Amino acid sequence: MRKMDGRRRRVFMIFTIGFVLLSQPGFADAAEPLQERSGIITMKGKPVTVVGSEITIGQKAPDFVAQATDMGDVRLSDFKGKVKLIASVPSLDTPVCDMEIHRFNQEAATVARDVVVLFISMDLPFAQKRFCGANGIQNVQTLSDHRRADFGMRYGVLIKDVRLLSRAVFIVDAQNIVRYVEYVQETGTHPDYDKALKVLKETEQQGQTANK
């Protein structure tokens, strides 16, 4: 009888732990089969595999959860009613990413209040905060995908081989419809700034016209 009671207790504990894990945000989604795409992105010239479906223009932008520099959760839905430029990068502490965030930080100073520029990477929130403080980045909001890789999987930029994000740019309008997508083929090269900023300006103007 004692052996049976002990066994029942172990089964109950396993069931309870499993229930707690499954209830964690992002866990159930991560357990679902995810599409893997190979050969479309290179890193230092070497083809890599990215996890997640490709985002297309005209679709509803998937919501996601990432961490701000204060470790608090931030979701796409937190920016309701705003036009969003979202740039994913491998790491802020690399030359191309450094130049990219400085360029978008400069451009973000000229956009309207209903436009937000988000930079997301696998860098820890503490590292992002240090980087922005040391480099005067004030107009771009950095987000960390390190905890769940939720953005990476939902937007098809999670590099399976190294668990970093590939370089990409997405523009999402105030109704959360995707208006622009660029998956940069080689992670060590820059995105098309001029084209992205042109679409951002057009999306901003369309939103202002719709609100009149």
Side-chain angles (χ1 to χ4, degrees), residues 64 76 79 82-89 100-101 103-105 107-108 111 114-120 139-143 151 155 168-174 180 191-201 203:
F64 64 86
L76 179 69
F79 303 99
K82 291 183 178 293
V83 175
K84 285 80 64 177
L85 185 150
I86 309 171
S88 65
V89 297
E100 183 177 342
I101 194 170
R103 172 66 186 274
F104 279 125
N105 182 68
E107 298 291 346
V111 299
D114 59 349
V115 177
V116 62
V117 179
L118 307 175
F119 246 70
I120 185 163
N139 306 313
V140 168
Q141 182 172 344
T142 56
L143 297 174
F151 176 85
Y155 282 73
V169 177
F170 308 92
I171 294 176
V172 180
D173 69 16
Y180 178 83
D192 189 333
Y193 297 111
D194 292 339
K195 190 172 182 180
L197 292 168
K198 180 176 182 291
V199 175
L200 181 66
K201 188 66 175 179
T203 305

Side-chain angles (χ1 to χ4, degrees), residues 58-74:
Q59 77 169 83
K60 189 80 170 180
D63 201 6
F64 64 86
V65 58
Q67 280 67 55
T69 54
D70 63 359
M71 296 295 290
D73 285 347
V74 175

Side-chain angles (χ1 to χ4, degrees), residues 23-152:
S23 66
Q24 294 300 306
F27 185 89
D29 291 338
E32 296 175 359
L34 292 168
Q35 180 182 352
E36 294 187 0
R37 296 172 291 136
S38 301
I40 60 172
I41 300 294
T42 59
M43 193 171 193
K44 296 182 179 180
K46 179 182 178 181
V48 294
T49 298
V50 289
V51 178
S53 300
E54 181 178 352
I55 297 295
T56 57
I57 293 173
Q59 77 169 83
K60 189 80 170 180
D63 201 6
F64 64 86
V65 58
Q67 280 67 55
T69 54
D70 63 359
M71 296 295 290
D73 285 347
V74 175
R75 293 171 171 80
L76 179 69
S77 53
D78 293 336
F79 303 99
K80 183 179 179 180
K82 291 183 178 293
V83 175
K84 285 80 64 177
L85 185 150
I86 309 171
S88 65
V89 297
S91 176
L92 297 180
D93 281 321
T94 58
V96 176
C97 300
D98 185 311
M99 294 175 66
E100 183 177 342
I101 194 170
H102 275 85
R103 172 66 186 274
F104 279 125
N105 182 68
Q106 180 181 356
E107 298 291 346
T110 67
V111 299
R113 290 185 178 181
D114 59 349
V115 177
V116 62
V117 179
L118 307 175
F119 246 70
I120 185 163
S121 70
M122 283 293 187
D123 297 307
L124 293 175
F126 317 109
Q128 292 181 339
K129 185 175 182 179
R130 177 201 59 76
F131 178 91
C132 291
N135 290 275
I137 304 299
Q138 300 177 333
N139 306 313
V140 168
Q141 182 172 344
T142 56
L143 297 174
S144 175
D145 205 28
H146 82 101
R147 184 179 296 172
R148 301 183 182 92
D150 192 45
F151 176 85

